[in-house]
Amino acid sequence: MTSVLVVDDDPTILQIVETVLRSGGLDVATRTCGRDGLRAAHEQPPDCAVLDVTMPDMTGLEVCRALRDDAETANIPIILLTGRGQWLDVASGFDAGADDYLVKPFTAQDLLTRVAALTARGHQARG
């Protein structure tokens, strides 16, 4: 079963994303802050990570960079999920190493499609 780590400090968004992903048959782990998300990714690397950008302790951009800088987690597909949709925000997300960038509000189908595409690509890359 495909595993997805979701990190968001907003409990409502966290629950919505978890519900959507579980409805798609995915195994979901959730964390409410960047540091816990980073720790969880190292303890049990997921097939995909969905990170909120704006969190108080460690931003999604910082978590993304930290995952990319570590050989054990460098290949985890990462989707940044945020309310910040200006072109500079999107560019910053990709500069940090994100594979995709999804702006809130989003549709359930869009999230599921993006996770499926990234995890399929990740499985192919790993052989």
Side-chain angles (χ1 to χ4, degrees):
M1 178 179 285
T2 299
S3 63
V4 181
L5 173 63
V6 182
V7 186
D8 198 311
D9 63 319
D10 182 329
T12 303
I13 297 295
L14 197 63
Q15 184 175 11
I16 290 168
V17 173
E18 180 180 13
T19 300
V20 166
L21 295 174
R22 286 192 192 281
S23 76
L26 303 170
D27 182 34
V28 181
T30 60
R31 296 295 184 274
T32 56
C33 69
R35 289 192 199 328
D36 287 349
L38 188 57
R39 191 175 310 114
H42 281 99
E43 289 170 0
Q44 189 166 2
D47 295 307
C48 184
V50 178
L51 309 175
D52 180 27
V53 170
T54 308
M55 294 185 283
D57 70 324
M58 188 176 188
T59 70
L61 297 176
E62 292 169 332
V63 174
C64 186
R65 283 188 199 99
L67 291 171
R68 291 293 178 246
D69 287 344
D70 187 320
E72 289 183 24
T73 57
N75 294 320
I76 296 171
I78 298 171
I79 299 173
L80 293 176
L81 179 64
T82 181
R84 302 172 65 136
Q86 298 297 319
W87 72 268
L88 193 53
D89 298 314
V90 176
S92 295
F94 286 116
D95 285 347
D99 296 287
D100 205 347
Y101 195 98
L102 186 56
V103 178
K104 301 171 191 172
F106 58 92
T107 66
Q109 189 58 52
D110 198 12
L111 178 60
L112 286 169
T113 299
R114 289 170 188 242
V115 168
L118 286 177
T119 55
R121 194 172 6 165
H123 288 305
Q124 286 175 345
R126 288 190 291 274

